[in-house]
Amino acid sequence: VTASATAHARLIGICTADYDRTINLSAMTADGKPIGIARLSKFPNRPDAAELKLVIVDAYQRTGLGTHFMEELMRIARNEGVQEIRTVVLDQNEGMIKLFNKHKFTLTPRSDAPHLLEVSKKVDDA
């Protein structure tokens, strides 16, 4: 397999929506500029658990958008039978840590990389 074929297959995987496994949410300004994206992806080897990814443009942080994304992702997770949400965050990312604490996630320093926090939450925890 050539490098270009591998790159093409990877791009297809990234760009193709697999709604059985991945849900993407996005937020845009009135004129269509992207300001945030959130993704929930079920783990292939554990479909009752999903990885969370969340990015918000700096100018739109601390506006409630992260909370809105989190509430929607939790609702979607419940509807999809996801029992646990997981991710990793830098220990210096105060905004995300505050958001995770607000939503009662558990944050644990990684033993192999203390500057990273393992983040998890049982979905049925309100």
Side-chain angles (χ1 to χ4, degrees):
V1 176
T2 66
S4 64
T6 302
H8 182 262
R10 184 170 179 269
L11 285 173
I12 294 295
I14 292 169
C15 296
T16 304
D18 176 358
Y19 297 110
D20 290 330
R21 198 176 83 76
T22 303
I23 298 294
N24 295 306
L25 303 176
S26 62
M28 293 183 235
T29 61
D31 61 352
K33 292 180 183 165
I35 58 172
I37 188 161
R39 180 175 68 194
L40 199 60
S41 300
K42 292 180 183 177
F43 291 106
N45 60 340
R46 196 172 158 216
D48 67 329
E51 179 180 36
L52 172 121
K53 296 291 181 184
L54 176 62
V55 178
I56 298 172
V57 172
D58 289 349
Y60 291 89
Q61 293 178 7
R62 290 173 289 285
T63 64
L65 183 56
T67 295
H68 180 70
F69 273 142
M70 192 68 73
E71 290 169 354
E72 268 309 291
L73 289 175
M74 295 302 291
R75 184 188 64 74
I76 290 166
R78 280 186 202 91
N79 289 342
E80 293 295 317
V82 172
Q83 297 174 11
E84 182 180 19
I85 294 177
R86 305 187 71 169
T87 195
V88 175
V89 67
L90 286 169
D91 64 357
Q92 298 174 4
N93 191 337
E94 294 174 10
M96 285 303 298
I97 291 170
K98 183 177 177 182
L99 182 65
F100 289 132
N101 284 329
K102 177 180 179 179
H103 291 277
K104 300 178 182 166
F105 279 75
T106 301
L107 292 89
T108 308
R110 286 178 54 164
S111 59
D112 63 330
H115 63 286
L116 297 176
L117 301 172
E118 293 281 348
V119 181
S120 64
K121 177 178 175 61
K122 299 290 183 194
V123 173
D124 36 293
D125 294 351

